[in-house]
């Protein structure tokens, strides 16, 4: 899934390894410091709902900024050019704003501890158990991706054997989450966010200087790849060809609406950070604060992919040479001196650990609360579930080590992740969005909509696309289509089932359907939260406008 070229070894020395060792020490130190605040299961799984918005906001974006995204999106930048920005400005920002402004009042106001638990209140135990199992499976699959990818990278760059890299990183993630719970994971993610930027910003600045600045970069790429390579929309007309294998309709509907909203609004690895906020206002602002750094991430992820393409014109040209996944490591090798190189390696490692920790911490919450406590071991004392959560954390890390190798059959890391999102997150979004806005939706409709949407996405991908029944130019294009199919099939099934089954009593839907309210949603803002610069609507629409403005230089 990640293949780095033979011999791509970084010239690391003792200084670089010292920086790496200091990072590990700080990570464990944060875990032990957070342990003092873990007294109940709520502390362990949701930080006691006590964290400020700026902490949860940075953790929200860091949880998504795994090294799979750094390496994968840099590779996409080198392979597809400016088309990659769609994953950020249309494929993330609108959905993050929708989560903050529309969905967080329901999640936080209902006092649920997880996304599946919301389905328990809205649709009942059948939908709850199915969504819990689906989410638990997807969490360990994605956690394994981060762990396996990191092992391959460290083997190629530092010479570490794969099993050593897997054990070392797995141990540290296991240690700081088991000791300090979600609080430890979140504060480490804040640290990791700044470490990642400390690695990527110097790489981008030095790289741009090496290729003659932005003008030199654009001149080189226009000469070698044509003037469409640095535009986001050229060649996306229906029937036109482009490297991405997608047209504007599948980009807007498949990526921008269905897949994006499915991921950002229902992925508990992200939503969990907002649920740990200290009050409703902070919970609403969490994804909105995260949206602003997310807007500018392409500048330090996609742009280095473009720089690498200029510096290494053979990138991705042959199977035996440098591949697109080598874009970031090539720049690290060629541009960074020792010391800064140690920071860059630490940044990559921090990114892998952030991505893995986000999925492991969400896995232990869902499995413990939504499967173990809800259906297998009911009514035990709180200390029992706290112990269970710690054990499940270890189990999640071990399973992640095993599931990592499933990803080896995929040639591109982002293709694999987007495939998982189309299978698991999009059907969840269908159930959420219809159940949240249509009061008539029945409990049976939630279950069958989720099941049919998941099955439809898998059938489209493995049968229609993989068997060549429908010609789709690329795996990414197939994922966009699978997402649309999952949404349409799930929605149609929900409508049909709702019309032939009995709806839930209206009084049981307070705070679960748009237009109704629960006592938790009446929470007054804390002191200072009503300041104009903290108003969620201003933050949300400001992010949307800024993302739209960022498209202008890449649209002509």
């Amino acid at each position: 899934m990640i293949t780095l070229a033979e011999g791509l070894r970084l010239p690391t020395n003792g200084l670089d390894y010292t920086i790496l060792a200091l990072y590990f020490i700080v990570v464990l130190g944060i875990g032990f410091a957070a342990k003092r605040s873990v007294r109940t299961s709520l502390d362990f799984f949701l930080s006691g709902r006590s964290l400020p918005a700026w902490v949860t906001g940075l953790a929200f974006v860091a949880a998504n900024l795994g090294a799979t995204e750094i390496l994968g999106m840099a590779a996409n930048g080198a392979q597809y050019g400016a088309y990659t920005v769609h994953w950020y400005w249309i494929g993330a920002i609108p959905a993050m704003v929708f989560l903050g402004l529309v969905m967080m009042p329901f999640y936080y106001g209902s006092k649920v501890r997880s996304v599946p638990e919301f389905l328990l209140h809205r649709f009942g135990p059948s939908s709850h158990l199915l969504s819990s199992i689906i989410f638990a499976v997807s969490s360990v699959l994605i956690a394994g991706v981060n762990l396996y990818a990191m092992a391959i990278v460290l083997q190629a760059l530092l010479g570490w054997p794969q099993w050593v890299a897997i054990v070392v990183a797995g141990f540290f993630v296991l240690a700081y989450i088991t000791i300090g719970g979600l609080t430890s994971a979140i504060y480490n993610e804040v640290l990791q966010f700044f470490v990642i930027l400390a690695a990527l910003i110097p790489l981008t600045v030095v790289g741009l200087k090496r290729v003659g600045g932005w003008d030199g970069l654009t001149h080189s790429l226009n000469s070698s790849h044509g003037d469409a390579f640095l535009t986001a929309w050229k060649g996306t007309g229906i029937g036109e060809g482009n490297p991405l294998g997608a047209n504007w309709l599948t980009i807007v509907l498949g990526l921008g609406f269905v897949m994006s909203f499915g991921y950002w609004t229902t992925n508990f690895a992200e939503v969990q950070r907002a649920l740990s906020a200290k009050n409703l206002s902070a919970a609403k602002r969490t994804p909105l604060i995260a949206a602003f750094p997310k807007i500018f991430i392409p500048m330090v992820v996609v742009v280095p992919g473009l720089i690498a393409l200029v510096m290494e014109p053979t990138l991705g040209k042959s199977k035996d040479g440098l591949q697109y996944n080598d874009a970031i490591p090539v720049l690290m090798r060629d541009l960074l001196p020792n010391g800064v190189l140690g920071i860059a390696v630490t940044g990559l490692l921090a990114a892998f650990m952030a991505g893995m920790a986000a999925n492991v911490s969400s896995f232990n919450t869902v499995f413990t609360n939504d499967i173990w406590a809800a259906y297998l071991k009911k009514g035990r004392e709180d200390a029992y579930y706290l112990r269970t959560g710690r054990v499940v954390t270890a189990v999640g890390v071990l399973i992640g080590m095993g599931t990592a190798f499933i990803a080896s059959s995929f040639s591109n890391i982002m293709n694999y992740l987007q495939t998982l999102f189309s299978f698991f997150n999009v059907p969840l979004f269908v159930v959420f969005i219809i159940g949240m806005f249509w009061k008539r939706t029945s409990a049976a409709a939630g279950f069958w909509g989720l099941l049919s949407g998941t099955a439809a996405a898998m059938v489209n991908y493995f049968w229609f696309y993989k068997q060549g029944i429908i010609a789709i130019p690329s795996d990414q294009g197939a994922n966009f289509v699978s997402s649309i199919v999952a949404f349409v099939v799930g929605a149609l099934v929900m409508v049909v089932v709702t019309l032939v089954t009995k709806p839930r009593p209206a009084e049981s839907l307070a705070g679960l359907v748009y237009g109704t309210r629960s006592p938790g949603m009446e929470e007054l803002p804390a002191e200072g939260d009503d300041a104009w610069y903290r108003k969620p609507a201003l933050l949300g629409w400001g992010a949307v406008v800024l993302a739209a403005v960022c498209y202008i230089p890449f649209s002509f």
Side-chain angles (χ1 to χ4, degrees), residues 27 124 192 299 374 395:
V27 163
Q192 287 156 349
M299 306 309 170
V395 172

Side-chain angles (χ1 to χ4, degrees), residues 65-104:
L65 192 60
T68 48
E69 172 169 346
I70 293 173
L71 294 178
M73 286 303 179
N76 278 356
Q79 185 173 1
Y80 303 130
Y83 293 106
T84 310
V85 301
H86 291 308
W87 270 271
Y88 295 88
W89 300 334
I90 198 172
I93 303 305
M96 294 168 74
V97 171
F98 183 83
L99 171 64
L101 297 183
V102 178
M103 297 191 72
M104 280 315 303

Side-chain angles (χ1 to χ4, degrees), residues 25-37:
I25 292 172
V26 172
V27 163
L28 289 181
I30 291 175
F32 280 106
K35 182 180 180 180
R36 292 177 297 178
S37 64

